[in-house]
Every structure is written in structure tokens, then in C-alpha cells.
Amino acid sequence: MSKEARTEIDSLGEFGLIKLLTEKNTSQNESTLKAVGDDAAVIRSGDHLKLLSTDMLLEGVHFDLSYVPLKHLGYKAVVVNLSDIYAMNGRAKQITVSIAISNRFSVEAIEELYSGIYLACSNYGVDLVGGDTSASRQGLVISVSVIGEVEEDKVVYRSGAHENDLLVVSGDLGGAYMGLQLLEREKSVFVDNPDIQPDLDGNDYVLERQLKPEARIDIVDLLNKMEVVPTSMIDISDGLASEVIHLCDQSGLGANVYDEKIPIDPMTYQRARDFELDPGVVALNGGEDYELLFTVKQSDYDKIKGNPNLTVIGHMQNKDAGIQLIAKNGTQHELSAQGWDAFLKQNRS
Ligand code: ADP
Ligand code: MG
């Protein structure tokens, strides 16, 4: 065997690997307006734009069927895809669903998965239009692709922010991560002692954030109604810190993020404390909240202020100023993405 160079994937990380694989990618069709690098690809189609995005969920990597009900899993597999379309300020229209299943699963189990898929389709007004079905040696794989639409003057990229734009987040953060911590804890208790019943009472909100997340089409509608077109936008799948860095990198800017402004639900806060975690760190780095992070012009502030669904957490600034997290007492430090990385922490989605 020849001794060829071997680079470990870990040394690049997920984003490094995608960059390596796609840096030489070129488009041959004029209709390809945006290829790799945003929440969805953007394709010209007559008088409007089509949006296309895809996500894959693997058993043992992205979900654990010992505590994730199949119906919820089907629902979530669709919702996380829709979220990427909403992050472009678009509307999701059609999905395809591909599955690989081992013989461990019964027909009834896969029907249960599909009941969640159909519920998400019905709730979000999207049509299931196809897919693929295969056997798998081990476990379950679900891959969903979604097509959306947006008008050309409404599409929002990660790269459109300007200096002094306000940085805004929808909803609250960190809940999905605390839901996961609770589920993992109860699982380990159960593994140690199968006679003990899971104790998850009183945690509905954070459990729902983890098991049955929603995508924020209501925020896309709200912004449209308020006549606000964000200058840049991304959905929060990997954690706020990581997504702020994406917006900054792609817009060629820095940012100030004010720690005490980051919205945290009281239950998330309390559960973080119970686990002896810093709620602020959980909100910054816990993934899977599927909220929207976006920037707006300062002149739009009056339109969004006071809305309970929207929180201004900072503003964009010159690249040289860096990306700063500013604490209540005024101390600041450079924001880093300690968020999980699919290749480094393989138990998260
Ligand atoms: P998101 O978190 O919004 O789902 P990702 O971080 O998964 O986005 O992907 C970032 C970008 O890289 C997207 O434009 C996606 O389409 C692209 N991408 C991811 N994996 C690959 C791949 N294996 N080949 C080509 N493009 C990829
Ligand atoms: Mg995304």
C-alpha cells in the first residue's frame, strides 16, 4: 500500500471540510444565483426565486430513539429544513423525504415517523412530493430536502449586513439544549436502574424545544407585515455565537453583542442553574433553537421595538473591532463559537 497523505476530518471540522470540498465549485447556469454558503441555495425561476435546502439526520449522531418519539422525529426532520427557507425570508412549498431503515423497524414504526412528517406538512402548508427508500445496515437515516420561494426584492442572505445595523433575535435561546440535558440525564438514570420512572414533570417548555421545535414562519410573516426586510439573516441551528460569527464573516463585519440582552426563558434559566451551567453560556452555545437571527437598518428600529417576539441583542460594527461579547459590567471579550460541531461532538444534531 502506498503511503498517501492522510488528513483527519477532525482537524478541519464540519465548516472547514465543507469549505475544502466546495472552494473550487463553479456554477454553469445563469439561474444559479447563490450556490453553497447560505441557509439555502437561490435559483432564478421566471419572475421569482426558488430556494433549495437539505438536511440529514442519523440515528446515534443526531437523535437517540431511546427518548425521541418517532412522530416527533418526523416532525423535527421537516421543521429543521423549513427553518433554512425562512432564514432566507422565503416560504417553504415542497419537501422530499428519503429514508434508510434497518429491519429493526416495523412498518408501524415508520408509519409513526410519517405521521409526524405529515403533521409538519399540514401545520406549515408544505407538500410532500417525493423521496427515496432504502435498507440500511444499521439504524435510521432521514434526509429531507425543501423547496421554497421568495420574491427577488425580499430574499435575505447572510452577507447583506452593514455597519451599525441592529442585531435582532426572535424568541428565546438555550431551551432546546436544556431539554437535551434533561433527556440525557433521565436516560442515564434509566440505564443504571431501569425500575426508576423518568422524572420529567414540570419541564414541558424545554422538552418541547428539544423534541418538537417549530420554525419561525410567523417571524417572516411579522417582518413582512411590519414592512421590514432584514439586511442579513440566518437560523440558529448551531448556537447564537456560531451564527453571529457566520453573519459577521459573510458580511465582512464585526459586532457587539450585549450579554444581558440575550433572551432566556425563565425555565431554561432555572434548568441551567440546576445543572450548574451558566445560562448565558447555554443561550450562546446551545444549538437547535431554530430561532432567526437577523440584522435591520437602524431606521427600522421603531418598527420592531417593543415586539415581544423580537429582541435587539447588539449591533454590527467595523470588521477591525472584532466580534465582542459585552458583559453587564462593561467587560468584553472576543466571541468564539464554542458551539458544538457535528464532527467533534457526535451525539448532537
Ligand atoms: P445549515 O446549518 O444552514 O443547514 P450547513 O452548515 O449545513 O447549513 O451548510 C452550509 C452550506 O454548505 C450550505 O450552503 C450547504 O448547502 C453547503 N454544504 C454542506 N455540506 C455540503 C456538501 N457535502 N457538499 C456541498 N455543499 C455542502
Ligand atoms: Mg441554517
Side-chain angles (χ1 to χ4, degrees):
M1 236 166 62
S2 68
K3 266 197 170 175
E4 282 173 27
R6 178 187 158 92
T7 311
E8 297 302 328
I9 290 174
D10 272 8
S11 69
L12 294 178
E14 181 187 355
F15 299 135
L17 179 64
I18 295 172
K19 196 169 165 213
L20 179 79
L21 297 176
T22 58
E23 62 196 354
K24 296 201 181 82
N25 182 38
T26 53
S27 300
Q28 301 176 58
N29 294 287
E30 259 177 38
S31 53
T32 307
L33 297 190
K34 175 78 191 176
V36 175
D38 218 303
D39 291 289
V42 182
I43 299 156
R44 188 184 302 287
S45 174
D47 62 352
H48 69 282
L49 307 178
K50 292 267 188 234
L51 303 167
L52 177 60
S53 185
T54 190
D55 257 305
M56 187 159 55
L57 299 178
L58 277 81
E59 183 178 0
V61 177
H62 301 97
F63 57 88
D64 182 336
L65 287 176
S66 63
Y67 56 73
V68 176
L70 281 163
K71 184 173 179 179
H72 285 63
L73 180 63
Y75 193 87
K76 182 168 175 174
V78 176
V79 161
V80 302
N81 274 274
L82 305 184
S83 180
D84 279 322
I85 299 297
Y86 304 146
M88 308 297 293
N89 205 28
R91 283 164 204 280
K93 299 289 181 186
Q94 289 92 12
I95 58 164
T96 61
V97 176
S98 300
I99 52 172
I101 30 180
S102 71
N103 58 12
R104 194 178 102 230
F105 294 90
S106 65
V107 172
E108 289 76 13
I110 302 304
E111 283 186 309
E112 189 64 15
L113 176 77
Y114 267 71
S115 70
I117 290 173
Y118 282 119
L119 181 62
C121 285
S122 150
N123 286 357
Y124 287 88
V126 302
D127 305 325
L128 172 67
V129 296
D132 195 19
T133 304
S134 164
S136 116
R137 287 277 179 86
Q138 228 183 7
L140 174 64
V141 179
I142 312 165
S143 174
V144 178
S145 296
V146 57
I147 297 176
E149 289 176 10
V150 64
E151 290 154 45
E152 191 154 6
D153 59 346
K154 294 276 171 65
V155 67
V156 178
Y157 296 98
R158 294 177 178 178
S159 57
H162 295 104
E163 222 173 309
N164 298 322
D165 282 356
L166 300 173
L167 193 55
V168 187
V169 67
S170 68
D172 55 74
L173 301 175
Y177 182 78
M178 289 322 302
L180 181 69
Q181 298 311 302
L182 282 165
L183 291 163
E184 292 277 351
R185 184 182 71 187
E186 291 312 310
K187 182 190 172 186
S188 59
V189 170
F190 182 78
V191 168
D192 292 344
N193 188 346
D195 294 333
I196 296 181
Q197 286 299 308
D199 177 17
L200 293 165
D201 279 359
N203 292 300
D204 289 5
Y205 180 66
V206 293
L207 291 172
E208 238 178 66
R209 294 290 281 171
Q210 171 59 222
L211 294 174
K212 190 170 177 284
E214 302 291 353
R216 301 303 308 254
I217 180 62
D218 59 322
I219 299 296
V220 174
D221 286 337
L222 178 72
L223 291 169
N224 196 39
K225 216 167 84 194
M226 296 194 294
E227 296 183 352
V228 174
V229 178
T231 51
S232 69
M233 185 148 64
I234 187 168
D235 71 326
I236 304 183
S237 51
D238 295 353
L240 177 66
S242 166
E243 316 302 3
V244 169
I245 292 169
H246 280 313
L247 287 190
C248 285
D249 283 353
Q250 297 205 22
S251 296
L253 295 173
N256 274 353
V257 177
Y258 296 90
D259 203 7
E260 93 252 36
K261 303 277 189 210
I262 299 171
I264 303 174
D265 179 84
M267 186 186 289
T268 304
Y269 192 95
Q270 197 47 53
R271 290 300 93 86
R273 284 274 179 245
D274 297 347
F275 276 80
E276 295 180 356
L277 295 169
D278 178 340
V281 172
V282 166
L284 266 174
N285 296 304
E288 299 192 287
D289 287 313
Y290 299 103
E291 296 294 342
L292 293 173
L293 173 73
F294 56 93
T295 52
V296 298
K297 294 190 292 258
Q298 294 238 356
S299 55
D300 281 332
Y301 177 66
D302 282 342
K303 297 185 193 164
I304 62 162
K305 79 172 173 206
N307 190 297
N309 290 297
L310 304 176
T311 310
V312 178
I313 59 165
H315 59 85
M316 306 306 272
Q317 59 182 357
N318 191 281
K319 190 181 170 82
D320 299 336
I323 309 173
Q324 307 294 336
L325 180 68
I326 300 172
K328 208 171 177 175
N329 64 11
T331 57
Q332 61 180 61
H333 64 266
E334 187 90 19
L335 195 67
S336 61
Q338 298 158 8
W340 53 276
D341 181 315
F343 283 100
L344 298 177
K345 289 192 193 170
Q346 295 223 328
N347 62 342
R348 300 284 318 278
S349 70

